[in-house]
């Protein structure tokens, strides 16, 4: 079955370390997105990519980096520059021209200690 | 003011009650999603709407484009419906990014 896979589901890291969250989709979607969710707040856009080898900053990109070397993969690196990295991270993908249907991964809960 | 506003923020109801969750938005959109997030965090897309009404089982979603408003209804609510329900819109500005509401936490008591 097609879908989006995020891994791992839970991730613990020490303060000051970079950490990379994985997002893979086999839906042949062009666009992929990374969102962050904090308690009591809506999901906020970190980065998005509409095509391979191209990506744009979202509303809260500071302290994060991404790459889009392959259509099916859009990893997110949480760098040591991100002041409050502990959060729930959600990856999504969509395909323009087909009703803009979006699909979501199961999320990664990152805890920095 | 958020571009997407949901109400209520929290809702507790008895099993069997009819549930309504509202979503208002202030931007032009090409589509609106209703999403369900369970305590584990994973998000499931329930509906995508660009006009009218959709029904799936006990769930009904409606949208009024002129009034920039959508509602999610749950008939014969059940404790397993307890979750956070999130409204998200896709803007028609060309970048197709989703903007999310803050969610409505629904608790159904047996």
């Amino acid at each position: 079955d097609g879908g989006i896979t995020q891994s791992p589901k839970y991730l613990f890291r020490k303060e000051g370390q970079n950490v990379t969250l994985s997002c893979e989709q086999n839906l042949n979607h062009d666009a992929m997105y990374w969102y962050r969710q904090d308690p009591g707040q809506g999901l906020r856009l970190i980065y998005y990519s509409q095509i391979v080898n191209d990506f744009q900053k979202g509303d809260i990109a500071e302290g994060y980096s991404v790459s889009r070397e392959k259509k099916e993969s859009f990893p997110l690196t949480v760098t040591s520059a991100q002041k409050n990295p502990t959060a729930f991270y959600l990856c999504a993908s969509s395909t323009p021209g087909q009703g803009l249907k979006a699909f979501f991964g199961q999320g990664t809960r990152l805890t920095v200690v | 003011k958020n571009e997407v506003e949901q109400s209520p923020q929290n809702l507790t109801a008895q099993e069997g009650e009819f549930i309504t969750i509202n979503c208002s938005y202030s931007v032009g959109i090409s589509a609106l999603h209703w999403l369900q997030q369970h305590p584990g965090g994973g998000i499931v897309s329930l509906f995508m709407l660009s006009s009218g009404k959709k029904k799936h089982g006990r769930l009904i979603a409606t949208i009024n484009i002129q009034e920039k408003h959508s509602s999610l209804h749950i008939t014969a609510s059940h404790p397993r419906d307890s979750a956070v329900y999130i409204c998200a819109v896709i803007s028609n500005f060309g970048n197709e990014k989703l903007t999310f509401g803050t969610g409505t936490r629904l608790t159904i008591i047996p």
Side-chain angles (χ1 to χ4, degrees), chain B residues 38-58:
Chain B
H38 277 283
I43 287 181
V44 174
S45 179
L46 299 173
F47 295 103
M48 188 186 70
L49 296 163
S50 54
S51 64
K53 176 180 174 178
K54 286 191 176 180
K55 185 175 188 295
H56 185 257
R58 296 179 295 105

Side-chain angles (χ1 to χ4, degrees), chain A residues 37 40-42, chain B residues 5-12 19-24 34-38 70 72 74 81-87 100-107:
Chain A
Q37 186 179 42
Q41 294 194 41
Chain B
E5 298 274 356
Q6 282 186 241
S7 63
Q9 285 189 316
N10 294 283
L11 179 57
T12 300
I19 303 300
T20 296
I21 299 170
N22 296 300
C23 175
S24 296
W34 279 104
L35 311 169
Q36 182 190 56
Q37 185 174 33
H38 277 283
S70 176
L72 176 69
I74 305 175
D81 297 326
S82 298
V84 175
Y85 292 85
I86 302 170
C87 170
F100 294 80
T102 55
T104 295
R105 184 174 298 278
L106 174 66
T107 304

Side-chain angles (χ1 to χ4, degrees), chain A residues 18-35:
Chain A
N18 291 358
V19 59
T20 298
L21 281 57
S22 168
C23 179
E24 304 275 333
Q25 54 99 359
N26 60 4
L27 300 160
N28 201 34
H29 284 175
D30 292 309
M32 297 186 73
Y33 309 82
W34 274 106
Y35 296 90

Side-chain angles (χ1 to χ4, degrees), chain A residues 39-60:
Chain A
Q41 294 194 41
L43 289 143
R44 292 179 291 167
L45 181 64
I46 304 172
Y47 268 99
Y48 65 103
S49 167
Q50 293 183 297
I51 196 168
V52 174
N53 292 323
D54 187 47
F55 47 83
Q56 284 79 42
K57 292 182 179 180
D59 301 318
I60 54 165

Side-chain angles (χ1 to χ4, degrees), chain B residues 66-107:
Chain B
Q66 287 73 30
E67 295 186 4
K68 291 187 165 66
H69 182 268
S70 176
S71 293
L72 176 69
H73 306 285
I74 305 175
T75 62
S77 60
H78 189 276
R80 65 174 174 266
D81 297 326
S82 298
V84 175
Y85 292 85
I86 302 170
C87 170
V89 300
I90 299 175
S91 74
N92 58 8
F93 294 142
N95 61 15
E96 296 165 357
K97 69 172 187 174
L98 287 157
T99 302
F100 294 80
T102 55
T104 295
R105 184 174 298 278
L106 174 66
T107 304

